[in-house]
Structures are given as structure tokens and as C-alpha cells.
Amino acid sequence: MIEPTWLTETRAAYDTVAVDYARLIPDVLEGPLDRGMLAAFAELVGPGRPVLEAGCGTGRITAHLRGLGLDISGVDLSPGMLEVARRNHPELRFEVGSMTALDTPDEALAGLVAWYSIIHLPPELLPGVFAEFHRVLAPGGHLLVAVKAGDQRIRLEQAYGHTVSYDVYWLPPDRLAEQLTAAGLAVHATLVREAEELDRGPQAFLLARKAER
């Protein structure tokens, strides 16, 4: 099977930048609103219940949520990013994989996080990805999504000091909420904040929940 171009490009880009990404993007989350959404997610899920970060990169959010009491593991396209994640966070579990086809049994998770990871997917793939999130979440399970808020595609040719070639999509929160709802994931909180420090525009965070039986 021929691999989609977006997937090949995204993996290659993050393999290239992995070490410098970890050096330039600190593990400490300085934004109180960002931390607040992660804390709310962790409280909603509850301690000790299985959670997955889809598109975990170097594992900084995975580790943060572990510190909030979650039994969390990570999956990412990029072996290079996961090499850094395993080195920096040896106590956590990380696997190579794609959120378009998670290697997770049906209804196995109490929570799922996609922290700035769906922004590399062509938007037409999002309904299918949200259906996959719905499949792996148990009834009553929670989802947290973080995105760059907008409606445009940006082609990156330079990132973290390297020459790369991949896309970043800025996504409209209202449209995401509609797509999540259509996938059976009811959005119960949305936060849109203005740009801070290195941000180039507003950021959006959506909390959703799969219905109980």
C-alpha cells in the first residue's frame, strides 16, 4: 500500500527536528489556561484509568498528565520523536503508530488526548479520525483536543533550525465541534485563547465525551 504524502512528510519532518524540538520546546507548560484544560481533563478521567496521547511527540504532555495521576501512554508517527520521548521519560510507554488506525481495542480507553497533533492531517480526514477516537473510547470516556484556531493551511519549509516540508492546518473550533458531535463525541467545553509568546495566533481546546450506554 502506498503511504499518503502527508503522513510521509510529517514523519520525515519530525524525525529530522526531534532533538532540537525537545531542546527548544520546554517540558514545563507555562500557560495557565493550557494547564487548566489538561487539569480538567485529568480530573474528569480520574486517576489510574487508561489514557492514550495520540501524536505524543517527545512525550512532554504525556509526562505532564502522568504527573496528574493518569495511567497514560503515547503513540506517534515519528520514531525520532519517540526515541527522545523514551530517553527523557523512561517510565512511560511509547509506541509508533498513526491516529488514523490506532492499535487499540474497542472501548479500551477512559481518555484520549490529541494535543496539537490533528493539525497535520488533511481536514477531510478528520471525520474518520474522530470516528476512530470514538471507537477506542469507553462509554463515558473523555477526549481533549488542542489546535491552532483559524482556517488556513501553512506549508512549512523551515522548522526548529532544519529544512523540512510539511503542512500545518489552522482549524475552526466550531467546525471541529460539529465533526466531533457527528462522530458521537459531545463537546461540553471549548476554550479559545489569544496568542501568547511564541504563538502566531489564537489557540483552541475542546473537551468532548462519549455518551454512556
Side-chain angles (χ1 to χ4, degrees), residues 148-160:
K148 300 174 182 297
D151 193 2
Q152 62 177 321
R153 177 180 71 91
I154 295 178
R155 185 71 172 176
L156 291 183
E157 303 292 347
Q158 293 287 327
Y160 309 104

Side-chain angles (χ1 to χ4, degrees), residues 14-32:
Y14 279 104
D15 280 348
T16 299
V17 307
V19 172
D20 287 310
Y21 178 99
R23 178 176 60 84
L24 295 167
I25 305 297
D27 281 349
V28 176
L29 296 172
E30 296 182 350

Side-chain angles (χ1 to χ4, degrees), residues 115-128:
W115 193 260
Y116 294 102
S117 53
I118 67 169
I119 63 173
H120 300 303
L121 291 160
E124 63 270 18
L125 299 183
L126 290 177

Side-chain angles (χ1 to χ4, degrees), residues 63-198:
H64 181 82
L65 288 169
R66 176 64 174 270
L68 296 178
L70 298 185
D71 177 14
I72 188 167
S73 59
V75 63
D76 198 271
L77 282 176
S78 166
M81 294 289 270
L82 293 184
E83 182 179 350
V84 175
R86 290 172 181 136
R87 182 170 66 244
N88 291 349
H89 308 288
E91 75 283 5
L92 296 175
R93 306 181 305 278
F94 298 103
E95 300 293 339
V96 175
S98 171
M99 69 182 71
T100 59
L102 294 168
D103 187 18
T104 304
D106 294 354
E107 301 187 349
L109 301 175
L112 192 150
V113 181
W115 193 260
Y116 294 102
S117 53
I118 67 169
I119 63 173
H120 300 303
L121 291 160
E124 63 270 18
L125 299 183
L126 290 177
V129 168
F130 295 156
E132 181 71 349
F133 290 174
H134 181 274
R135 178 186 70 80
V136 299
L137 281 170
H142 295 274
L143 170 69
L144 174 60
V145 176
V147 299
K148 300 174 182 297
D151 193 2
Q152 62 177 321
R153 177 180 71 91
I154 295 178
R155 185 71 172 176
L156 291 183
E157 303 292 347
Q158 293 287 327
Y160 309 104
H162 295 270
T163 299
V164 293
S165 185
Y166 69 118
D167 292 326
V168 174
Y169 294 89
W170 293 63
L171 301 168
D174 289 348
R175 188 183 306 161
L176 289 177
E178 291 173 357
Q179 292 173 327
L180 287 165
T181 300
L185 298 163
V187 176
H188 56 88
T190 301
L191 169 67
V192 179
R193 66 160 176 79
E194 295 305 311
E196 298 175 356
E197 298 184 5
L198 299 178

